[in-house]
């Protein structure tokens, strides 16, 4: 049998477990899980000593495009994703201008299809003005979900009131993703703080109740309207104890930062380079996040890659912008957690491949199985590397994990049967396509 690609000698993480087998690819899809020794291919990848994972997905990135290309863009951000072993990204809508109407959606569809190194999906930002059209926009090619900023945004993208959120939930039928901090509490507490206070005050201002109150309000509205929701970057022990009882409407994301960094130490070590929303919290919330990973509460893990220039980050708190780089470091950091025994490799794949596909209705991705897209992340679980700023492809040029030693490293990124990265080298030309979703 002839294939376009055969991946031989790897330990493949299939939906039913780890199997030593050879994978045959034809026309960008998995054509065989048992390619024989006599079978040939246009290209053969020897994966001896490597694990072959389904293509890993980062369902939460801000590629800032349109915006400031000196900080990030779709070409640079998807290049970073490929270097980090990520085969598909879901890009947020708070750009300049924002992705909130048909014109900007069509612009982004065309641009991403031409410039992305990996497969690509986009959120549509909900506004008061576009609410009646959201049911139409969520069906555009490449749209993964509607995104609602119920806190921590500006201008038209902020919908903080119950009536506005309810109206969004009544237009369309697919799952809606939420930034769920409570804007009213944020504004009420703002006067407690003054410019130049320590960076650790960020988590005091945006406290646990700010997040938990927002999540409780949104869950109640989801139940009232019967609309499924996804709570992004869940960060508190309180939310993670509450959300298992909300499975009728809610799924859950946590971020790699909330599984890796702990306050107050992160603020002491990194200063402004630890400022993100929701904030990195203390060890009680860190431990709760890991327990939620272990007990199945968490459905997806993302990076919330949201770069800013070092110049902007150097502003005193609270003027420093919130957001960290992360799409390129997501996979190495999570592989290190696997090697540290915090979760199994199978659970990591569930959270970073099958989970996003299940939550968002992503078609033909998320697992290695017959007929699925031939997306693979090949990793060396024994490789010892150090994450450094000079490895980062994002123009902002920094990572909060600079200097971190990790065990486990992405060795190849294959998207629909085409190798995009091998051994830290980008190959070919951008060939990403818009991801497909259930209607």
């Amino acid at each position: 049998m002839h294939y376009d690609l055969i991946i031989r000698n790897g330990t493949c993480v299939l939906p039913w477990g780890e199997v030593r087998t050879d994978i045959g690819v034809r026309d960008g899809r998995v054509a065989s899980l048992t390619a024989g020794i006599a079978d040939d291919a246009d290209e053969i990848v020897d994966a001896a000593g490597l694990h072959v994972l389904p293509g890993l997905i980062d369902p939460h990135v801000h590629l800032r495009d349109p915006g400031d290309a000196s900080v990030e863009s779709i070409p640079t951000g998807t290049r970073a994703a490929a270097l980090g072993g990520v085969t598909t990204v879901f890009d947020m809508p708070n750009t300049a201008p924002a992705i909130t109407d048909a014109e900007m959606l069509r612009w982004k569809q065309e641009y991403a299809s031409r410039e992305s190194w990996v497969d690509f999906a986009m959120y549509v930002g909900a506004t008061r003005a576009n609410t009646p059209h959201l049911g139409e926009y969520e069906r555009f090619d490449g749209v993964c979900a509607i995104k609602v900023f119920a806190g921590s945004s500006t201008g038209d993208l902020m919908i903080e009131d119950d009536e506005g959120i309810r109206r969004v939930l009544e237009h369309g039928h697919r799952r809606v993703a939420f930034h769920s901090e409570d804007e009213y509490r944020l504004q009420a507490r703002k006067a407690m703080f003054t410019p130049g206070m320590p960076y650790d005050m960020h988590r005091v201002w945006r406290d646990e109740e700010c997040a938990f109150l927002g999540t409780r309000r949104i869950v109640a509205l989801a139940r009232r309207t019967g609309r499924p929701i996804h709570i992004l970057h869940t960060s508190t022990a309180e939310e993670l104890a509450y959300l298992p009882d909300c499975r009728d409407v809610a799924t859950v994301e946590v971020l790699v930062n909330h599984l890796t960094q702990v306050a107050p130490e992160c603020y002491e070590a990194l200063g402004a380079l630890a400022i993100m929303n929701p904030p990195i919290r203390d060890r009680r919330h860190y431990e709760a996040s890991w327990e939620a990973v272990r007990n199945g509460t968490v459905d997806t893990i993302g990076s919330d890659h949201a770069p800013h220039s070092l110049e902007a980050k150097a502003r005193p708190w609270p003027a420093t912008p919130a957001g960290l780089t992360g799409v390129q470091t997501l996979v190495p950091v999570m592989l290190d957690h696997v090697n540290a025994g915090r979760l199994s490799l199978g659970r990591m794949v569930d959270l970073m491949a099958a989970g996003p596909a299940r939550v968002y209705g992503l078609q033909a991705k998320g697992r290695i199985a017959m007929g699925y897209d031939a997306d693979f992340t090949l990793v060396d679980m024994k490789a010892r590397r150090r994450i450094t700023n000079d490895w980062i492809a994002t123009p902002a040029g920094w990572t909060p994990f600079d200097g971190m030693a990790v065990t486990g490293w992405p060795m190849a990124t294959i998207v629909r049967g085409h190798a995009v990265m091998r051994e830290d080298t980008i190959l070919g030309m951008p060939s990403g396509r818009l991801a497909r979703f259930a209607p």
Side-chain angles (χ1 to χ4, degrees), residues 1-6 24-26 31-32 35-36 39-43:
M1 187 76 69
H2 182 80
Y3 298 97
D4 301 327
L5 169 71
I6 295 177
V25 173
R26 191 180 296 117
S32 175
D39 294 334
D40 65 350
D42 297 337
E43 182 180 7

Side-chain angles (χ1 to χ4, degrees), residues 28-30 54-55 57 87-88 90 119-121 138-144 173-174 353-375 415-416 433-439:
R29 294 180 176 265
V30 176
I57 299 162
T87 62
T88 304
F90 295 3
D119 281 359
F120 191 91
E138 72 176 3
R139 296 192 299 273
F140 272 50
D141 290 348
V143 169
C144 57
H173 71 278
R174 290 175 54 196
R358 179 179 65 250
V359 166
Y360 290 91
L362 178 63
Q363 301 294 284
K365 293 186 185 293
R367 54 166 46 193
I368 299 174
M370 288 289 289
Y372 275 64
D373 286 355
D375 296 348
V415 179
R416 286 175 285 99
R433 295 180 184 172
L434 297 178
R436 303 181 304 280
F437 296 87

Side-chain angles (χ1 to χ4, degrees), residues 320-369:
T320 184
L324 314 177
T325 63
V327 68
Q328 192 170 338
T329 52
L330 173 63
V331 174
V333 172
M334 288 307 302
L335 291 174
D336 190 67
H337 285 312
V338 171
N339 276 305
R342 298 185 182 97
L343 78 169
S344 68
L345 185 60
R347 178 63 172 137
M348 178 186 138
V349 166
D350 179 54
L351 290 163
M352 297 174 64
R358 179 179 65 250
V359 166
Y360 290 91
L362 178 63
Q363 301 294 284
K365 293 186 185 293
R367 54 166 46 193
I368 299 174

Side-chain angles (χ1 to χ4, degrees), residues 73-324:
S73 66
I74 286 173
T76 57
T78 57
R79 183 184 182 93
L83 285 166
V86 171
T87 62
T88 304
V89 295
F90 295 3
D91 190 28
M92 287 294 174
N94 54 332
T95 50
I99 309 303
T100 58
D101 59 33
E103 180 182 1
M104 289 306 300
L105 276 168
R106 293 188 183 100
W107 174 86
K108 199 162 190 177
Q109 287 173 329
E110 189 279 329
Y111 180 49
S113 297
R114 174 167 39 87
E115 298 290 347
S116 181
W117 288 90
V118 299
D119 281 359
F120 191 91
M122 68 199 86
Y123 294 83
V124 178
T127 71
R128 299 182 197 282
N130 76 2
T131 291
H133 304 287
L134 293 177
E136 171 193 354
Y137 294 162
E138 72 176 3
R139 296 192 299 273
F140 272 50
D141 290 348
V143 169
C144 57
I146 303 301
K147 167 69 179 289
V148 179
F149 292 87
S152 185
S153 191
T154 57
D156 290 347
L157 282 175
M158 177 77 73
I159 302 182
E160 72 276 25
D161 61 297
D162 285 4
E163 178 60 19
I165 293 170
R166 181 191 63 78
R167 290 187 67 242
V168 168
L169 293 174
E170 289 178 342
H171 288 82
H173 71 278
R174 290 175 54 196
R175 193 173 299 274
V176 179
F178 277 90
H179 182 130
S180 70
E181 290 180 288
D182 186 82
E183 184 66 14
Y184 298 108
R185 183 173 176 85
L186 279 176
Q187 294 305 318
R189 292 171 59 79
K190 195 171 186 178
M192 299 167 55
F193 306 94
T194 56
M197 292 181 79
Y199 291 110
D200 188 49
M201 287 297 100
H202 195 66
R203 68 185 175 108
V204 179
W205 174 34
R206 312 180 85 97
D207 67 350
E208 295 90 334
E209 181 59 17
C210 175
F212 189 25
L213 177 58
T215 293
R216 295 198 307 272
R217 287 176 53 211
I218 291 162
V219 166
L221 290 163
R223 282 178 166 154
R224 188 184 307 173
T225 59
R227 185 76 177 273
I229 59 172
H230 189 49
I231 302 298
L232 300 169
H233 41 48
T234 311
S235 64
T236 71
E238 288 77 7
E239 290 171 284
L240 292 166
Y242 167 77
L243 285 165
D245 291 329
C246 307
R247 282 299 187 185
D248 53 319
V249 292
T251 51
V252 179
E253 174 193 81
V254 297
L255 301 181
V256 63
N257 302 79
H258 293 129
L259 294 170
T260 308
Q261 297 168 304
V262 180
E265 294 87 343
C266 65
Y267 299 102
E268 295 166 358
L270 295 170
L273 300 189
I275 297 294
M276 62 182 297
N277 296 329
I280 297 167
R281 306 190 190 275
D282 64 28
R283 188 159 293 276
R284 178 172 73 91
H285 302 288
Y286 167 88
E287 296 292 352
S289 297
W290 275 112
E291 177 57 26
V293 167
R294 288 189 288 268
N295 68 26
T297 297
V298 177
D299 297 280
T300 67
I301 287 177
S303 71
D304 198 357
H305 173 78
H308 296 278
S309 70
L310 285 171
E311 180 183 15
K313 293 295 281 187
R315 298 169 191 157
W317 187 84
T320 184
L324 314 177

